[in-house]
């Protein structure tokens, strides 16, 4: 069986079919005198779910990761979301539908409305809403959720669509792999699987049916394959490889204390993407040499009002102190008209992904922008902080942003507030025109950070989470790589460092090309930091440049990927791709 590579790695174990009773939602009208009882039934389900989630979060015996806590926190907050709760109650009152049907109708309407928006954050929000509503429906209909907390042996979970909450609650001691019929690479379940180091393949058609009478599975999350009942000889071979990978992972610990360097000593900083001070501390523990991306938008989405300057200052200061002398690149607010930050009063757009978002919002809301810049500047007195503007598409936008920064600096100087007066300012390169004009921008900024997720989507006009066109999303596309190479060269000519903060930086198959291109820094998920350092340490820069020159002659992405795989196999480094 074949599917989407959701989380790399190799696993062999018995299949565990996540069977759950079908949620049969009947449509019925509630008598007028029973409406209050129906509302009470709905509110009871909400409170029971809230209690379970809060108990789960506060259980001292559960060691939840920051990502797991963040997702569970979002789910708890959704239980107070008017669009989900109040609107469902309104349907019960006004249309007199039973609460299960009212909830399902409301969620369908929300998904239909938000589904028109081509944005990754919104897709995640839809998944969160569906996950919470499914949990609510199970309580309304008295359906017992599949219990994954008491796994008794090594298993590979087989599910139609595994909810993030189910994976969070699963017994990790015996979880070896995941196969789902649905889901994408950016889903919360996929992110959690990658952070757990659990191989996962999504989008496998009829996985539940195909695995019904299977006694052993081999899941290759790197290749996106699932093999049923392999021959004994093949199974022994896979198990030997899994054991060697286990030993290799244990060896990764030593990369927490070494710099990112190639075999011949060429320097490349390996940093981490973070969203909080806790993330920063975990990144340091994993060996991150800094934070190449601090996502600040999460802070703006948590309350009904913007975070104050003081709250932002304390948050940035805590992250900087957790990193010590390591660099902290703080991206200014990267929100969009589609991200439902209600206090910004953003109008609905037909295509917000190409509309009013990121720096465009900040330049229209200069007080909001200046408050954030003041907080960042104040925090710069406590660490090695740098400022990064997102979604810059023109020199005029860059100049406008810098004028607001200049005013923030002037205010702090008048107030006698200390800050780094030589703080470095850079931009994300995530729009094709910015990459094409990188030589012009390089004269104006202190550094670049290439945001590959958006750059690839904008360059190829492909939504990578849309299964209909996801095969066209190709980080090996020659056009994408040429834009990246041009950006790196443009920065180098002006003596400006160039980093990368998209998922591409953590793709070990592309590490040799990035080394050959001369990139200065990559910022990846904290768990990927030692893996990138390991691959980097096994390649010398001359070999990387040779591979780069040959790869840039490839006509297609598939040809380039095949070439890189073949080269790493010759160098006996292909096993690192399974880490």
């Amino acid at each position: 069986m074949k599917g989407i590579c959701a989380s790399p790695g190799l696993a062999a174990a018995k299949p565990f079919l996540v069977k759950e009773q079908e949620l049969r939602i009947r449509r019925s009208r509630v008598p007028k005198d029973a409406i209050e009882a129906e509302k009470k039934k709905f509110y009871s389900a909400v409170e029971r779910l809230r209690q379970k989630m809060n108990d789960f979060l506060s259980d001292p015996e559960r060691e939840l990761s920051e990502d797991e806590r963040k997702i569970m926190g979002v789910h708890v907050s959704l239980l107070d979301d008017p669009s989900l709760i109040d609107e469902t109650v309104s349907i019960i009152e006004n249309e007199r539908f039973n609460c299960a049907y009212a909830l399902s109708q409301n969620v369908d309407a929300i998904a239909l409305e938000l589904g028109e928006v081509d944005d990754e954050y919104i897709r995640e929000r839809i998944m969160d809403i569906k996950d919470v509503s499914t949990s609510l429906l199970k309580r309304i209909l008295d359906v017992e959720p599949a219990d994954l907390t008491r796994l008794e042996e090594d298993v590979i979970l087989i599910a139609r669509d595994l909810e993030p909450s189910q994976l969070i609650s699963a017994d990790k001691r015996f979880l070896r792999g995941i196969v789902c019929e649905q889901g994408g690479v950016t889903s919360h379940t996929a992110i959690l699987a990658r952070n757990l180091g659990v191989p996962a393949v999504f989008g496998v058609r009829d996985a539940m049916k195909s695995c019904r009478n299977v006694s052993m599975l081999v899941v290759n999350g790197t290749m996106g394959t699932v093999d049923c009942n392999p021959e004994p000889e093949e199974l022994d071979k896979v198990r030997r490889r899994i054991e060697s990978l286990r030993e290799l992972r244990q060896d990764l610990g030593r990369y927490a204390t070494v710099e990112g360097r190639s075999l011949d000593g060429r320097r490349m900083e390996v940093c981490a993407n973070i969203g909080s001070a806790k993330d920063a501390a975990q990144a340091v523990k994993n060996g991150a040499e800094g934070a190449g991306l601090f996502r600040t938008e999460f802070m703006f989405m948590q309350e009904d009002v913007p975070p104050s300057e003081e709250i932002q200052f304390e948050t940035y200061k805590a992250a900087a102190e957790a990193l010590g002398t390591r660099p902290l690149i703080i991206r200014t607010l990267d929100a969009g008209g589609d991200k439902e930050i209600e206090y910004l009063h953003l109008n609905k757009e037909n295509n917000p992904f190409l509309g009013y978002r990121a720096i465009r919002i900040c330049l229209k809301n200069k007080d909001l922008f200046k408050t954030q810049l003041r907080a960042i500047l104040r925090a710069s007195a406590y660490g090695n902080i740098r400022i990064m503007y997102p979604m810059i598409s023109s020199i005029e936008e860059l100049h406008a942003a810098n004028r607001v920064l200049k005013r923030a600096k002037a205010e702090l100087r008048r107030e006698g507030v200390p800050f780094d007066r030589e703080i470095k300012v850079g931009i994300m390169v995530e729009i094709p025109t910015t990459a094409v004009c990188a030589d012009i921008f390089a004269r104006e900024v202190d550094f670049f950070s290439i945001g590959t997720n958006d750059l690839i989507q904008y360059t190829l006009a492909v939504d990578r989470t849309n299964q209909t066109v996801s095969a066209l999303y190709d980080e090996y596309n020659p056009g994408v790589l040429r834009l990246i190479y041009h950006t790196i060269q443009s920065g180098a000519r002006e003596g400006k460092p160039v980093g990368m903060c998209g998922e591409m930086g953590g793709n070990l198959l592309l590490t040799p090309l990035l080394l050959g291109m001369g990139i200065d820094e990559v910022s990846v998920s904290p768990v990927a930091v030692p893996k990138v350092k390991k691959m980097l340490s096994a390649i010398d820069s001359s070999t990387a440049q040779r591979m780069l020159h040959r790869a840039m002659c490839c006509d297609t992405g598939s040809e380039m990927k095949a070439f890189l795989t073949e080269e790493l196999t010759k160098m006996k480094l292909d096993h690192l791709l399974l880490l």
Side-chain angles (χ1 to χ4, degrees):
M1 294 184 287
K2 183 75 175 175
I4 299 169
C5 311
S7 178
L10 188 65
K14 294 180 179 179
F16 182 98
L17 273 62
V18 182
K19 296 178 181 178
E20 290 187 329
Q21 182 182 338
E22 185 179 351
L23 294 176
R24 296 186 180 276
I25 304 169
R26 62 182 180 84
R27 178 181 182 271
S28 63
R29 299 283 183 177
V30 178
K32 286 185 179 180
D33 60 359
I35 287 177
E36 288 303 315
E38 198 67 17
K39 288 165 55 179
K40 185 177 181 181
K41 180 179 179 179
F42 176 65
Y43 283 130
S44 173
V46 171
E47 291 309 313
R48 280 184 284 138
L49 180 57
R50 189 198 312 276
Q51 187 63 51
K52 181 183 178 182
M53 288 182 174
N54 285 331
D55 289 346
F56 195 88
L57 285 167
S58 61
D59 186 350
E61 294 185 5
R62 291 190 181 277
E63 296 183 2
L64 299 179
S65 69
E66 186 67 18
D67 279 323
E68 289 175 327
R69 289 191 176 277
K70 194 174 294 181
I71 291 171
M72 290 292 285
V74 169
H75 288 191
V76 171
S77 68
L78 280 173
L79 295 177
D80 291 314
D81 190 322
S83 66
L84 180 63
I85 306 303
D86 294 354
E87 188 59 33
T88 297
V89 172
S90 178
I91 294 172
I92 296 171
E93 291 176 332
N94 299 325
E95 301 184 43
R96 290 170 42 204
F97 284 129
N98 60 298
C99 62
Y101 185 77
L103 176 61
S104 65
Q105 287 294 101
N106 184 30
V107 170
D108 287 346
I110 293 172
L112 183 64
E113 180 181 359
L114 297 182
E116 296 176 357
V117 179
D118 183 15
D119 181 81
E120 184 175 328
Y121 170 80
I122 291 300
R123 282 188 291 269
E124 289 181 358
R125 182 169 176 79
I126 292 172
M127 286 185 286
D128 286 329
I129 291 171
K130 287 184 174 180
D131 188 15
V132 170
S133 66
T134 299
S135 297
L136 281 173
L137 285 169
K138 288 175 183 177
R139 280 151 185 81
I140 292 171
L141 300 173
D142 294 322
V143 171
E144 192 68 27
D147 186 6
L148 304 179
T149 63
R150 294 181 176 86
L151 302 176
E152 297 178 351
E153 60 181 339
D154 289 352
V155 296
I156 291 170
L157 299 180
I158 314 295
R160 287 187 175 84
D161 188 11
L162 195 67
E163 300 164 15
S165 55
Q166 290 178 299
L167 179 54
I168 291 171
S169 66
D171 189 340
K172 312 300 192 301
R173 295 174 302 167
F174 300 110
L175 179 59
R176 295 293 171 261
I178 303 169
V179 177
C180 288
E181 295 179 355
Q182 301 174 30
V185 294
T186 58
S187 69
H188 278 152
T189 305
I191 293 169
L192 289 172
R194 288 195 289 272
N195 287 346
L196 290 169
V198 175
V201 180
F202 290 173
V204 180
R205 184 177 297 178
D206 297 326
M208 293 284 286
K209 182 180 178 181
S210 299
C211 295
R212 194 174 296 160
N213 298 313
V214 171
S215 59
M216 182 60 62
L217 281 180
V218 171
V219 173
N220 188 324
T222 304
M223 303 302 294
T225 59
V226 181
D227 296 326
C228 301
N229 291 329
E231 294 296 328
E233 297 81 6
E234 182 62 25
L235 184 58
D236 287 341
K237 183 179 177 181
V238 168
R239 283 174 168 160
R240 285 195 298 272
R241 195 164 194 188
I242 290 172
E243 183 56 35
S244 66
L245 286 171
R246 186 176 292 115
E247 293 172 359
L248 190 59
R249 288 192 186 96
Q250 291 174 349
D251 181 57
L252 288 177
R254 68 187 181 92
Y255 289 92
T257 57
V258 300
E259 292 180 330
R261 289 188 182 276
S262 66
L263 187 61
D264 58 338
R266 164 71 163 80
R267 189 79 170 91
M268 183 199 294
E269 288 186 359
V270 184
C271 299
N273 300 330
I274 66 171
S276 67
K278 286 185 178 179
D279 288 348
Q282 184 59 49
V284 170
K285 189 180 295 184
N286 283 20
E289 299 177 79
L293 171 64
F294 186 120
R295 300 183 179 94
T296 63
E297 57 269 23
F298 299 133
M299 203 187 324
F300 286 80
M301 295 174 187
Q302 290 174 350
E303 304 293 341
D304 295 331
V305 294
S308 67
E309 179 181 323
E310 201 61 31
I311 288 174
Q312 292 188 64
F313 162 66
E314 291 294 344
T315 300
Y316 306 145
K317 175 174 175 278
E321 289 177 338
L323 291 168
T325 59
R326 302 172 186 84
L328 169 61
I329 298 178
I330 301 178
R331 181 175 68 187
T332 58
L333 178 60
D334 186 12
D338 54 289
K339 290 189 178 179
E340 294 193 9
I341 301 182
E342 292 185 9
Y343 54 76
L344 291 180
H345 306 296
L346 303 174
N347 296 323
K348 184 177 180 181
E349 299 176 302
N350 291 331
N351 197 343
F353 209 50
L354 298 176
Y356 186 47
R357 58 173 300 200
I359 198 66
R360 299 166 186 176
I361 291 175
C362 291
L363 294 178
K364 288 286 187 180
N365 295 268
K366 289 189 174 66
D367 288 341
L368 181 79
F369 189 31
K370 181 157 66 70
T371 297
Q372 182 176 35
L373 291 174
R374 281 176 56 98
I376 295 172
L377 288 169
R378 288 173 58 195
S380 70
Y382 299 88
N384 184 4
I385 289 179
R386 302 166 192 177
I387 297 172
M388 180 165 68
Y389 305 135
M391 288 291 293
I392 293 289
S393 61
S394 68
I395 291 293
E396 290 85 355
E397 282 179 331
L398 174 61
H399 288 171
N402 280 337
R403 284 195 291 273
V404 180
L405 176 63
K406 186 176 180 180
R407 287 199 291 274
K409 287 180 175 180
E411 288 180 1
L412 293 177
R413 277 195 294 268
R414 286 196 299 271
E415 296 166 14
V417 177
F419 66 92
D420 179 3
R421 302 198 176 196
E422 301 300 322
I423 191 169
K424 296 185 183 301
V425 180
I427 63 170
M428 287 193 73
V429 178
E430 49 193 336
I431 299 175
T433 185
T434 309
V436 170
C437 297
D439 54 326
I440 299 174
F441 282 98
R443 296 194 290 268
E444 302 271 348
V445 300
D446 293 315
F447 65 90
F448 288 142
S449 184
I450 303 171
T452 57
N453 296 357
D454 277 341
L455 182 61
I456 295 170
Q457 293 192 108
Y458 284 133
T459 302
L460 302 180
V462 169
D463 173 6
R464 62 186 173 144
T465 64
N466 183 335
Q467 293 190 18
T468 307
V469 296
S470 61
L472 300 176
Y473 180 91
D474 185 8
E475 57 192 348
Y476 302 95
N477 182 281
V480 170
L481 288 168
R482 290 181 187 194
L483 283 176
I484 290 171
Y485 194 17
H486 172 67
T487 301
I488 294 171
Q489 289 179 311
S490 298
R493 281 194 290 269
E494 295 294 332
K496 305 296 172 65
V498 180
M500 177 179 287
C501 59
E503 288 187 14
M504 196 169 168
N507 184 343
L508 300 185
L509 193 55
L510 288 169
T511 301
L513 287 196
L514 296 177
L515 174 63
M517 289 179 183
I519 200 163
D520 299 290
E521 171 256 332
V522 292
S523 190
V524 299
S525 66
V527 295
V529 169
K531 301 175 187 179
V532 174
K533 285 185 178 181
K534 172 70 174 176
M535 177 64 85
L536 182 62
S537 70
I539 305 166
D540 65 76
S541 54
S542 60
T543 299
Q545 288 172 355
R546 175 185 59 79
M547 291 174 66
L548 171 66
H549 293 148
R550 286 193 56 188
M552 296 304 279
C553 294
C554 294
D555 296 333
T556 66
S558 56
E559 182 185 346
M560 187 175 297
K561 184 177 182 180
F563 163 71
L564 293 172
T565 303
E566 181 182 352
E567 286 295 300
L568 289 183
T569 301
K570 288 179 182 176
M571 297 161 64
K572 301 188 186 309
L573 296 176
D574 55 312
H575 62 288
L576 297 180
L577 302 177
L578 291 167
L579 285 172

